Amino acid sequence: MSLFALFSFIALVVMADFLWPEKHINDNINEVQKQRQNYYNAARNFHYSYKVITDEHEYYVTEDFAELELPGKPIEYSVSFLLEEVNWYRLAASQQKSYYSLRLVSGLVLPLLSLLSILLVFRYKRKIGTLVFVLNLLMLANRIFLIL
């Protein structure tokens, strides 16, 4: 099996996990945790991340969503079939789905870029081999991130 075929397979599996119909869970929010994430650089910047904790799962949400009064409210979310990652979430009273940006990038954007780069390699006769190598390494690191 060639390396391109392996990376294409990994990208397709990750995309299928994000796009395939998943199971929907209705649960109550127990707690919203606010965590300070520090950058260890010269500027010493930081940002906050927000995690919703339910009876069955813990997952990150956007700041706008976390600022609502959430504990005790019912929430609906979908969990992917293979990696058990939360793809989208919404309050039970709302029709608008929210996606956590890291899950959107790791489940859809990065695999699409990886597949596109592999297709471009075959079109342009391997003139962008370094780009393909870097994107495929990112795809492999993404896969490891999703598993852990």
Side-chain angles (χ1 to χ4, degrees):
M1 178 184 260
S2 73
L3 203 54
F4 287 123
L6 176 66
F7 284 124
S8 297
F9 178 73
I10 291 172
L12 287 172
V13 166
V14 171
M15 274 181 35
D17 184 57
F18 183 77
L19 296 173
W20 200 270
E22 59 280 324
K23 65 179 175 179
H24 297 269
I25 298 174
N26 290 312
D27 206 351
N28 286 324
I29 298 172
N30 295 335
E31 180 183 357
V32 177
Q33 288 183 348
K34 180 178 179 181
Q35 300 171 336
R36 181 179 167 145
Q37 306 288 325
N38 292 313
Y39 308 128
Y40 295 103
N41 57 16
R44 296 187 183 171
N45 296 332
F46 64 93
H47 75 275
Y48 291 102
S49 62
Y50 300 88
K51 185 187 287 189
V52 166
I53 300 172
T54 65
D55 291 334
E56 296 186 34
H57 291 91
E58 295 180 6
Y59 49 93
Y60 289 99
V61 296
T62 62
E63 181 178 3
D64 294 336
F65 188 81
E67 287 177 349
L68 303 171
E69 301 235 353
L70 294 176
K73 288 190 177 178
I75 190 167
E76 178 184 357
Y77 55 96
S78 72
V79 178
S80 64
F81 72 98
L82 185 62
L83 297 173
E84 297 285 323
E85 293 286 328
V86 173
N87 287 338
W88 59 262
Y89 53 90
R90 68 177 172 202
L91 290 176
S94 174
Q95 293 298 321
Q96 183 179 2
K97 295 178 183 175
S98 298
Y99 295 86
Y100 186 59
S101 59
L102 183 59
R103 176 66 180 141
L104 193 62
V105 168
S106 70
L108 186 62
V109 174
L110 192 57
L112 277 175
L113 284 176
S114 183
L115 287 174
L116 182 64
S117 70
I118 289 172
L119 292 174
L120 289 174
V121 162
F122 290 117
R123 170 77 170 104
Y124 294 109
K125 309 286 189 264
R126 300 182 191 267
K127 293 181 183 175
I128 57 169
T130 305
L131 174 65
V132 171
F133 178 72
V134 169
L135 282 172
N136 285 329
L137 281 180
L138 283 173
M139 192 65 224
L140 188 62
N142 177 41
R143 178 75 172 151
I144 292 168
F145 167 74
L146 288 172
I147 290 172
L148 298 178

